[in-house]
Amino acid sequence: MSRGPLSRRTLLTSVAASGVAASGLAQTVGTALAQTNITVGILYVGPRDDFGYNQAHAVGAAELKKVPGVKVVEEENVPETIAVQRSMESMINLDGARLILATSFGYFDPHMLAMAAKYPRVEFRHAVGLWDQAKHPQNAGSYFGYLDQAHYVNGIAAGLVSKTKKIGFIAAKPIPSVLRNINAVLLGARKNMPDATVQVVFTGDWSLPVREAEATNALIAAGCDVITCHVDSPKVVVETAERRGVMTLGHNASQASLAPRGFVTGAEYKWETIYKGFADNLAKSQKLPNWVRGGYDLDYVRNTAYGAAATDGVRRACDTAIAELKRGAPIFVGPIKDNRGNTVIPATLDNYAPPLEGINYLVEGVIGSIT
Amino acid sequence: MAVAADLTHRLRQGAEYTLIPLGALVVSAALFSVFLLGLGKSPQQFFELMWRGGFGTAFSWQNTLQRAAPLVLTALCVAIPARIGLVIIGGEGALVLGGFAAAAIAIPMIGPVAAGSLPVALMLGVMALAAALAGALWIGFAGWLRHARGVNETISSLLLTYIAIAILYFFVEGALRDPGSLNKPSTPPIGAGAMLQPIPGTDIHWGLAAGALLAVLLHLLMTRTTFGFAMRVTGGNPRAARAQGLPVGGLLVAATMIAGASAGLAGFFEVAAVHGNANASLVAGYGFTGILVSFLARHNPIAILPVAILFGGIAAAGGLIQRRMGLPDATVLLLQGVIFVVLLASETLYGRIAWLQPKRSGAP
């Protein structure tokens, strides 16, 4: 397994870049933008109201629209085909977009890269870190929120509310970003419940509603009383769990409205922080940072407002955990073994440590296999 | 005199096949306008944007043609078996498997091509052959099942699609995964230098030209050869065809293999001209839209070209309509659905409009 797209150098530039973005935000965004007119084009791979990944971006876009002087043009259900390139081009040629936000993983290579080469005066940014300074156009870049930090808070909550000490996790594919979230939930839960387990079911794809419902039912039958997931849209999982009377933890966007009784909290992106930062850079004619990434420390992720199933104790513990994450408290405290007994993290890792980008294991306490 | 009568006969028949679909389009537009008015949106703005986004400028034409390119090939996958009486809806699977085969067979050649010891054209040729063969075997299998085991080809080709997608995922996430593709498992990229270049002066890839050429060739095959004649006879009445001594089974399998090869080629172009590798993005629904295109073209290979361009244009304009009118993406799907239903309903008009019926002069 290669070490992932992160090297120490890109990490350092990214930290510097995110600092720039954050400081830009601190200044008054609105006044700087009032005189200018900036069009931002956003592409989504699915519907904007999917209660999941696309909705999270659409929420960010809606916040961006409120900034004076910014016009947002959106296109949903853009498949990861040549359609991506043509939609971007159409936004640039017909709407005058100066910044293109490509929100789906598969938009980057070859589509966004081709368009960035063709339109050097337009800025392109891609959600999920794939941009490499050595290889890719300078008017392109990546931005990313580290959702495992919010999933860790989910885990803290789960460790306090679970009676059976079993947490169910419905996951799409055994790829690093998903495995990292699963591991974070387990580590959070074990903070207060050292014998908690997380049981994982991989469905095999990002959106398989029937299989997600089956997996949810199977995990509940196996004794899990808290359910969470990492699939594109957690709607089916959360609704199924609510109907079965178990508690739920969200993912991507807010699913609180789907589970009025069992919702505890959820891991959510806060893309508007990044989007407003970009718009601010454009308004001030500053170079947009190529690499923006962060978690709670930069206000790029959040936890959904507590639901009915979150007790006062849970709320206090989660608030404390969030405050610690904002100060940079590590999640992956070494030594950590995987669930086959091998030591995978000998010493504590920082929350942005490059080895975490290539996680290919489930930590001890997670029941499941990636092969 | 006989020649002139024959000409008016042909003209009138041709007019019927042009005027009825065009009329159906006008009716669909009218019905859809009512829907838009109900939503409080302007139909005029909608159709202006549709024109502008799909056909109004050189850029929109490129956009339209690019989106039409895979549809021509996947529509042919439906049209050719339809001539022999089979309803094949598994073009998506043939496309996915074709694309996968092209990417997989390229893997050992990527290094030599990058080093210059193997010509790019050779690799692309082998990839195209592999894609066509994989598609041909896949859909041909559905044809063989029909002939030899009596399995309904519509169901089997659809189910084979899901198996094809599973095969793609199995290899792409396992043995053939590029270790560099961390969060989106893919096969190794064939390299920018090895990609199929667009048609000079445009952004359009050669898949469109290939589709157009194949459509013409298959049209000639169906109308000008004994092979095509035998296929049409079989499509008309398989038992009569068998009684005449036609090799019905062989024809069924041949038709499905040609169909599969066509969809497989669409997969090749996706890999060689668009993506550069095979991954989950291959599963984009082109195979299913192709079914619609073929039915609307009445399974006529030549008519597939304008219908595919119409669908490409609708898709190309869809984005602009979303952005300018604040309508959801489903609006465009709805328009497609209305067109489909109205065109199917218009089928009943053929032969019933007296003005379009040639007089049967010269009958003995």
Side-chain angles (χ1 to χ4, degrees):
Chain A
M1 186 117 216
S2 87
R3 223 180 48 168
L6 262 179
S7 67
R8 183 176 303 166
R9 187 190 304 165
T10 55
L11 180 75
L12 288 175
T13 38
S14 84
V15 171
S18 17
V20 171
S23 68
L25 259 189
Q27 296 159 25
T28 46
V29 180
T31 47
L33 288 171
Q35 298 84 18
T36 49
N37 242 324
I38 292 162
T39 302
V40 180
I42 305 187
L43 297 92
Y44 311 97
V45 74
R48 270 171 291 177
D49 51 358
D50 64 352
F51 281 99
Y53 186 78
N54 297 292
Q55 182 166 324
H57 284 285
V59 167
E63 288 296 316
L64 182 59
K65 279 180 195 166
K66 293 179 189 162
V67 178
V70 176
K71 190 177 157 211
V72 179
V73 290
E74 299 168 278
E75 235 178 88
E76 62 180 354
N77 287 333
V78 181
E80 292 171 348
T81 63
I82 198 79
V84 179
Q85 299 183 29
R86 296 294 78 83
S87 288
M88 289 179 176
E89 221 169 356
S90 178
M91 286 172 168
I92 295 164
N93 287 335
L94 302 179
D95 295 332
R98 285 169 58 191
L99 167 64
I100 298 287
L101 299 171
T103 63
S104 186
F105 194 92
Y107 288 171
F108 186 75
D109 188 9
H111 309 301
M112 192 183 101
L113 291 178
M115 288 300 100
K118 189 169 177 186
Y119 294 95
R121 296 175 57 124
V122 178
E123 293 288 334
F124 296 80
R125 292 297 180 272
H126 176 247
V128 189
L130 290 172
W131 186 80
D132 182 340
Q133 181 154 25
K135 285 196 292 190
H136 299 138
Q138 295 306 304
N139 59 326
S142 288
Y143 60 94
F144 192 53
Y146 280 83
L147 204 60
D148 62 320
Q149 300 184 13
H151 269 288
Y152 173 76
V153 178
N154 273 0
I156 300 261
L160 291 169
V161 296
S162 177
K163 304 245 175 349
T164 63
K165 302 183 178 181
K166 288 180 182 170
I167 301 152
F169 199 116
I170 295 98
K173 296 184 183 225
I175 57 171
S177 62
V178 177
L179 299 175
R180 186 169 178 171
N181 287 339
I182 299 169
N183 292 337
V185 169
L186 185 278
L187 294 171
R190 289 218 160 166
K191 267 263 181 184
N192 298 303
M193 189 185 280
D195 52 349
T197 56
V198 171
Q199 196 164 342
V200 186
V201 174
F202 290 101
T203 60
D205 214 336
W206 292 107
S207 182
L208 292 171
V210 175
R211 207 170 288 176
E212 287 158 18
E214 286 168 0
T216 310
N217 282 319
L219 287 170
I220 296 168
C224 298
D225 64 346
V226 184
I227 298 288
T228 186
C229 62
H230 185 154
V231 295
D232 260 4
S233 167
K235 183 168 190 277
V236 169
V237 169
V238 172
E239 282 180 338
T240 308
E242 175 79 356
R243 213 170 297 133
R244 295 285 304 268
V246 302
M247 288 171 282
T248 44
L249 300 160
H251 170 73
N252 274 343
S254 170
Q255 291 93 35
S257 62
L258 300 173
R261 286 177 293 130
F263 195 77
V264 187
T265 181
E268 269 190 66
Y269 289 105
K270 199 174 175 190
W271 298 117
E272 60 259 38
T273 312
I274 300 175
Y275 292 169
K276 286 178 178 172
F278 285 156
D280 189 51
N281 290 135
L282 282 177
K284 293 177 182 152
S285 304
Q286 291 166 340
K287 169 88 183 94
L288 260 68
N290 292 99
W291 237 130
V292 179
R293 67 174 106 205
Y296 259 117
D297 51 342
L298 292 175
D299 200 25
Y300 289 178
V301 298
R302 66 182 150 216
N303 274 79
T304 314
Y306 302 114
T311 59
D312 284 343
V314 168
R315 293 170 194 229
R316 272 196 304 277
C318 289
D319 287 342
T320 309
I322 290 169
E324 284 170 7
L325 284 168
K326 285 186 173 170
R327 288 197 298 270
I331 294 171
F332 291 87
V333 179
I336 295 175
K337 284 184 179 172
D338 69 8
N339 63 2
R340 291 168 175 176
N342 310 312
T343 302
V344 283
I345 300 180
T348 301
L349 290 173
D350 177 76
N351 288 339
Y352 302 101
L356 295 177
E357 302 287 334
I359 284 184
N360 60 349
Y361 46 80
L362 293 163
V363 300
E364 189 181 10
V366 179
I367 303 164
S369 165
I370 58 173
T371 48
Chain B
M1 189 62 203
V3 174
D6 185 50
L7 189 67
T8 42
H9 177 97
R10 278 169 171 251
L11 272 180
R12 289 205 180 190
Q13 203 176 30
E16 185 173 36
Y17 284 116
T18 319
L19 288 178
I20 292 182
L22 283 179
L25 283 182
V26 173
V27 172
S28 323
L31 282 176
F32 191 71
S33 300
V34 174
F35 166 76
L36 285 175
L37 288 172
L39 282 179
K41 302 278 182 185
S42 152
Q44 191 196 346
Q45 189 193 5
F46 182 89
F47 289 108
E48 272 174 16
L49 286 176
M50 180 125 269
W51 175 256
R52 184 151 174 234
F55 310 98
T57 65
F59 165 72
S60 22
W61 264 105
Q62 295 208 13
N63 190 347
T64 296
L65 291 176
Q66 271 193 335
R67 292 175 198 249
L71 299 182
V72 175
L73 288 166
T74 54
L76 286 173
C77 181
V78 184
I80 302 306
R83 286 305 181 85
I84 202 166
L86 298 181
V87 181
I88 293 283
I89 59 172
E92 182 85 359
L95 183 154
V96 166
L97 211 62
F100 169 67
I105 207 160
I107 292 173
M109 294 185 277
I110 293 171
V113 166
S117 59
L118 191 75
V120 175
L122 181 68
M123 176 166 98
L124 289 172
V126 171
M127 285 170 68
L129 269 179
L133 191 66
L137 291 176
W138 202 245
I139 301 297
F141 181 57
W144 179 81
L145 277 178
R146 164 64 189 243
H147 165 63
R149 317 278 346 134
V151 177
N152 180 307
E153 79 285 354
T154 313
I155 306 294
S156 69
S157 65
L158 177 66
L159 295 182
L160 279 169
T161 295
Y162 298 109
I163 299 176
I165 295 170
I167 291 175
L168 169 79
Y169 286 179
F170 177 78
F171 283 106
V172 163
E173 290 174 9
L176 298 182
R177 178 175 180 169
D178 173 15
S181 63
L182 275 184
N183 280 321
K184 179 159 191 173
S186 308
T187 60
I190 61 172
M195 297 276 290
L196 200 57
Q197 295 307 307
I199 298 172
T202 70
D203 282 340
I204 305 162
H205 64 70
W206 284 100
L208 183 76
L213 184 68
L214 201 59
V216 172
L217 287 179
L218 289 177
H219 178 72
L220 293 177
L221 179 78
M222 301 307 293
T223 55
R224 294 281 187 275
T225 66
T226 44
F227 177 75
F229 181 69
M231 274 173 64
R232 283 183 289 143
V233 170
T234 310
N237 188 336
R239 290 176 68 188
R242 195 169 282 128
Q244 290 297 320
L246 288 175
V248 171
L251 287 168
L252 283 179
V253 175
T256 45
M257 286 187 76
I258 293 172
S262 170
L265 273 181
F268 160 73
F269 284 108
E270 286 303 298
V271 168
V274 179
H275 296 291
N277 55 16
N279 56 43
S281 299
L282 273 178
V283 190
Y286 288 135
F288 294 117
T289 313
I291 302 168
L292 216 61
V293 171
S294 179
F295 269 84
L296 293 188
R298 300 172 59 87
H299 308 309
N300 177 331
I302 299 294
I304 280 175
L305 293 171
V307 176
I309 289 171
L310 175 72
F311 271 71
I314 293 177
L320 193 63
I321 287 160
Q322 276 190 48
R323 274 147 35 210
R324 293 287 167 83
M325 297 185 71
L327 287 165
D329 172 64
T331 320
V332 173
L333 280 181
L334 190 85
L335 176 62
Q336 282 185 8
V338 171
I339 293 177
F340 191 53
V341 170
V342 174
L343 266 164
L344 285 184
S346 73
E347 293 269 308
T348 56
L349 293 176
Y350 287 94
R352 297 200 180 176
I353 302 175
W355 182 72
L356 289 171
Q357 297 316 306
K359 292 183 186 64
R360 303 204 177 273
S361 61

